[in-house]
Amino acid sequence: RIDARRIVAAGHSYGANTALLAVGARVERQGRVVDLREPRVRAAIVLSAPPFYGEGDPARILAPVTVPTLHVTATGDVIRIPGYYSGAEDRIAVFDAVGSKHKALAVFEGGSHSMFTDRPGTGGAELNPRVKVATKELSLAFLQTRFGRGSPRAMAQCAERHREIIAKYDGVFA
């Protein structure tokens, strides 16, 4: 059974971009705005979201995202592929550009872009499992906050519990 009032989109990297499209991000194709928002999706968990490649101003694309979002990245979250580079600052720019008044950002110290995947050693054999545990806990606290059984304070407390590995935590809840 699915509770249609509690649907969340989540993704990593370009999957995070897909989740953002599902909650209201809008891009333009051939002079027309592409709106893929799915109104049943009530929140998004965004892991290592790069900017929308080749799309210009992130605020124009992401301002329409008004559902609560949790953004997770790391200071070593760098994408390097032939012809493309995206540093961790791009993940923070995505967070900043999202229009939601209810959003949070956790930036882990060190790590890598692939650390949030099923690869056990990327980002460091010791750090990787700790980040996965912290990400799981933050995600659960976020979902509880979003769906009425938690508070933004619980998210901040979770970030505090993991302060040894979190470089930055920013919870914005208007």
Side-chain angles (χ1 to χ4, degrees), residues 46 48 71-75 77 88 91-92 105-108 115-116:
V46 181
S48 299
H71 301 250
V72 182
T73 188
T75 59
D77 188 347
R91 291 347 126 239
I92 295 168
L105 168 70
V107 181
F108 291 99
M115 165 168 74
F116 302 102

Side-chain angles (χ1 to χ4, degrees), residues 17-37:
N17 288 152
T18 302
L20 288 166
L21 287 165
V23 294
R26 298 170 72 172
V27 295
E28 215 175 282
R29 292 289 178 271
Q30 300 173 346
R32 301 177 106 184
V33 172
V34 177
D35 185 353
L36 300 173
R37 186 175 188 285

Side-chain angles (χ1 to χ4, degrees), residues 99-122:
S100 179
K101 294 178 182 169
H102 306 282
K103 60 185 179 178
L105 168 70
V107 181
F108 291 99
E109 186 64 52
S112 74
H113 185 69
S114 297
M115 165 168 74
F116 302 102
T117 69
D118 60 352
R119 298 176 189 159
T122 60

Side-chain angles (χ1 to χ4, degrees), residues 30-31 40 47 65 67 77 98 113 161-162 172:
Q30 300 173 346
R40 294 173 292 184
L47 306 174
V65 174
V67 302
D77 188 347
V98 163
H113 185 69
R161 274 194 309 281
H162 296 284
V172 178

